[in-house]
Amino acid sequence: MTFSLVARSDDGRLHGVVVASRFLAAGALVPAAEADVGALATQAHVNLAYRPQGLALLRTGVAAADVVAGLVAADGERDHRQLGVVGVAGPGGTWTGPACHPWAGGQAGDGWAAQGNILAGPQVIDAVRDAWLGGSALPFPDRLVAALRAGDQAGGDRRGRQSAGLLVVERGGGYGGTGDVLVDLRVDDHSDPVAELGRLLAVHTLLFTRPDPATLLDLGGAVAAEVAFLLTALGHPADPADPEAALFDWAGLENLEERLVPGRIDPVVLDQLRKAAPRVPAPRPAGEPLPAS
């Protein structure tokens, strides 16, 4: 009752699962992933035991196709199951039991596997595949969602829409570097869940993506003066020569703490600071005449 994609990033550092379904909270049941191990999706007549068992097999170095073969061989209800698996290297593996409701099927390639059942037709999985393969320039989570969106636009679940989910793992990629879950977003009951999942990912990216070191600005001179001026206007009094303490205070309240870097400022944070005080005029350089009235 679902279509999904399990995949590995081109550099092998990230693994993820994206899923959509006319089923309540599919994201709570379908995906499983472990950093530096792999990812899997269990669907159709879901077997939740596949998740820990599959990851355990991947952890020992079993190839994705062999994980699929082992799990379904030991399952007396395999004809009603659907499964996708990807490991740390090589092609993904997929299984569609012959008793799954049509249209049902899957495809797999190097580092990915796409599968679905009760779909509008095989074009759904074709669209997921093509968007995944053509999306290598996108950040990994966005690439997964773009592939899901393509499948949704190709007809998706033939019964309609209800839920979607995205799970991405990376070693040390979690909040504050204290875990491995980079993204874990769910839309449990929504009229357009794939679009809503994309919106949530955009918010997640804004708040929690760590800044690109190449884009950071030194928090000094005119930048420091502007930051201090805006912070003070927003009720966070700041020293124009050293506004860092006030910046960290404000950014923490705005949930932007993952983007903070001592002695520097992320342009994304500066942009959010400017937007927070859109009616506050920036300080004028010394000697600049007052604007005409």
Side-chain angles (χ1 to χ4, degrees):
M1 298 173 285
T2 301
F3 64 103
S4 67
L5 172 69
V6 295
R8 178 181 66 243
S9 63
D10 291 342
D11 62 9
R13 293 173 48 233
L14 296 91
H15 290 82
V17 185
V18 67
V19 57
S21 181
R22 171 65 167 79
F23 186 89
L24 181 69
L29 300 177
V30 171
E34 184 176 331
D36 297 336
V37 170
L40 65 87
T42 173
Q43 56 196 54
H45 188 48
V46 169
N47 185 343
L48 293 177
Y50 281 1
R51 300 192 304 182
Q53 292 170 358
L55 291 175
L57 289 169
L58 289 169
R59 212 176 290 128
T60 64
V62 177
D66 293 331
V67 171
V68 170
L71 291 176
V72 302
D75 185 356
E77 294 294 314
R78 57 186 170 272
D79 286 358
H80 300 273
R81 313 288 194 202
Q82 200 165 44
L83 175 64
V85 178
V86 69
V88 295
T94 188
W95 161 264
T96 297
C100 289
H101 294 292
W103 186 89
Q107 300 180 33
D110 186 26
W112 65 274
Q115 46 282 315
N117 63 95
I118 320 185
L119 300 185
Q123 72 273 12
V124 176
I125 298 305
D126 289 344
V128 171
R129 175 203 63 208
D130 292 346
W132 169 254
L133 294 175
S136 59
L138 294 171
F140 183 71
D142 298 84
R143 187 180 179 186
L144 287 169
V145 172
L148 191 72
R149 184 181 299 113
D152 187 56
Q153 292 171 347
D157 187 324
R158 62 183 172 86
R159 300 166 304 161
R161 301 178 172 102
Q162 187 168 9
S163 66
L166 171 67
L167 175 64
V168 177
V169 296
E170 178 187 18
R171 181 68 64 196
Y175 181 85
T178 58
D180 299 333
V181 178
L182 180 67
V183 182
D184 187 2
L185 297 172
R186 281 174 35 192
V187 180
D188 288 345
D189 188 15
H190 196 280
S191 61
D192 195 355
V194 176
E196 178 64 6
L197 184 65
R199 186 191 71 81
L200 291 177
L201 178 58
V203 175
H204 185 280
T205 299
L206 170 66
L207 295 177
F208 302 122
T209 298
R210 292 164 193 168
D212 178 353
T215 68
L216 294 173
L217 305 172
D218 288 330
L219 192 56
V223 173
E226 181 187 3
V227 168
F229 181 80
L230 294 171
L231 287 168
T232 300
L234 290 167
H236 299 265
D239 179 352
D242 185 13
E244 188 164 78
L247 176 62
F248 274 51
D249 182 54
W250 172 83
L253 293 175
E254 297 298 319
N255 301 318
L256 289 164
E257 61 272 12
E258 285 288 87
R259 288 188 169 273
L260 295 175
V261 178
R264 316 289 294 281
I265 186 168
D266 181 353
V268 173
V269 173
L270 180 56
D271 183 59
Q272 292 302 301
L273 181 58
R274 288 167 174 164
K275 288 177 179 177
R279 295 186 179 86
V280 178
R284 293 184 305 277
E288 180 179 305
L290 291 171
S293 59

